[in-house]
Amino acid sequence: MANTPQPAIAQSGMLIRKPAAEVFNAFIDPAVTTRFWFTKSTGKLEVGKEVVWSWEMYNVSTAVDTIAIEPNRRIEIRWYDSYDLKGGHRKAPENATRVVWTFTPHGNDATFVEVVNDGFSGDAQTVQQKALDSTGGFCWVLAGLKAYLEHHIELNLVGDRFPQGK
């Protein structure tokens, strides 16, 4: 029997020295999230509600559907290939991937955040590249979150990743 290749996933994690409620809220509330990740959002994450996240420096956005929220423990979303801010809304289900954040308390004052992104589509090489790109992206996001929540510093890691645009 031949080995079946496992689907590619993106995975990253980071200990944030803040309580789980504060770390969880950083991903729910765009007033906080825009300090370390995207630049604009149409609203807070809520189950059954679509929001659009924008990275204005790259002129791209993505539609986000919130699938599940377990307060202070877990967030699950489905997000779609990005689209041009001026080009209109494009939500192709075949290009959607799933992202799950889990928040594990470490005592009263620290939280381990794990991010898993899966469901990539395309040929094997494309899927592998998407998973690698997503892993790198979530590493930047978590590092930016850590700096912002622990030290009140906005590092602009996501914006500075591609200073000439992408």
Side-chain angles (χ1 to χ4, degrees):
M1 181 182 259
N3 288 339
T4 304
Q6 295 298 312
I9 64 168
Q11 187 170 4
S12 188
M14 178 75 64
L15 183 71
I16 309 294
R17 288 180 175 80
K18 290 292 178 180
E22 187 174 346
V23 179
F24 176 86
N25 184 64
F27 286 99
I28 294 290
D29 185 356
V32 180
T33 322
T34 55
R35 309 300 291 265
F36 65 90
W37 191 9
F38 47 79
T39 58
K40 189 175 174 184
S41 175
T42 59
K44 290 184 177 185
L45 294 181
E46 297 175 33
V47 173
K49 178 183 170 187
E50 178 187 287
V51 297
V52 176
W53 291 341
S54 300
W55 291 262
E56 295 166 303
M57 68 288 223
Y58 301 129
N59 195 36
V60 296
S61 294
T62 189
V64 176
D65 292 326
T66 304
I67 306 303
I69 294 178
E70 298 172 37
N72 307 329
R73 299 190 62 202
R74 184 176 175 274
I75 300 168
E76 180 179 346
I77 65 164
R78 181 157 305 285
W79 66 355
Y80 300 83
D81 276 355
S82 57
Y83 61 93
D84 187 302
L85 287 173
K86 297 174 186 169
H89 190 73
R90 147 173 84 90
K91 190 171 169 182
E94 67 274 8
N95 294 325
T97 64
R98 181 179 73 129
V99 180
V100 177
W101 288 267
T102 55
F103 304 86
T104 305
H106 279 254
N108 293 326
D109 298 324
T111 307
F112 187 78
V113 181
E114 183 177 26
V115 185
V116 176
N117 185 195
D118 61 16
F120 301 103
S121 62
D123 61 40
Q125 184 176 357
T126 300
V127 167
Q128 182 180 20
Q129 189 59 56
K130 286 179 179 180
L132 287 170
D133 290 347
S134 182
T135 297
F138 281 117
C139 286
W140 293 118
V141 168
L142 292 175
L145 168 69
K146 183 176 184 71
Y148 181 70
L149 290 184
E150 291 183 14
H151 306 287
H152 310 288
I153 299 170
E154 293 182 44
L155 296 177
N156 199 34
L157 296 172
V158 174
D160 289 347
R161 172 61 182 97
F162 297 102
Q164 301 300 318
K166 183 160 177 156

